[in-house]
Amino acid sequence: MATCCPAARPKSSASRACCRSRPPPPCCWSAAMPGAAATIVAQRGAWVAAHQHDPQLAERMAARLRPIGRRVAILPWSPAAPAFRPQYHHHALALEPTAGGGSLATLAPALAAALTPEAQLVLLDLTLGAAAAAHRPALDRWLALEGRAGPPPAQPAAEAAIKAAGFQLHVAEDAGPRHCAAVTEGWARLIGAVRRQGQRTPGPMPWR
């Protein structure tokens, strides 16, 4: 089950989330794909610090985002010991941050420390549903294919870790149905395109 949890840091009278430098503090992403970073920069003009723990993916992200220029910085991070620039980022988007290891118990405090007061966090990660025990062989197979050391936490445990880090949890949404619908629609479009491509009259081969 994919859980989307928008949350906010508690308010503080000592410091407010405002533009205090130029360029402004960027969004901090504990895990980000280049498409998401490019969209945020293009639509919002934001400065983005995209953190990627996989060196190969980080290299690919940097290559794809190079045309954007200095608005995007690709930075490393360690899921086992997460740490980001403290009290610097306005917002954070964490896309399956525990896929490479670690846990929300250590990640959530690190994200909280990286955000300015009243900043927003959107976390999209996997949690175990109530029916997971009935599908244990399939779950074990999935864990092995994903290279995960253990199963994801249950949703109550994930929410507890977020709250324990000082976040105010506003919404907890099961994004699984929307995700499945989007994947199914995407495959249907792909199959339709392949079918239409196969119905076309093939032209002469270039080497003939």
Side-chain angles (χ1 to χ4, degrees), residues 2-21:
T3 300
C4 179
C5 297
R9 285 282 309 279
K11 296 181 179 180
S12 170
S13 58
S15 177
R16 297 292 179 180
C18 60
C19 291
R20 59 183 181 182
S21 63

Side-chain angles (χ1 to χ4, degrees), residues 143-155:
L143 291 172
L145 292 173
E146 288 281 309
R148 292 175 178 252
Q155 182 171 341

Side-chain angles (χ1 to χ4, degrees), residues 11 17 38 42 49-52 55 66 78 84 89 91 108 117 119 136 158 160 164 189 196 198 203:
K11 296 181 179 180
H51 293 76
Q52 175 56 252
R66 191 168 293 118
S78 171
F84 311 99
H89 304 281
H91 306 289
R136 188 69 200 196
R189 291 181 179 180
R196 290 189 297 272

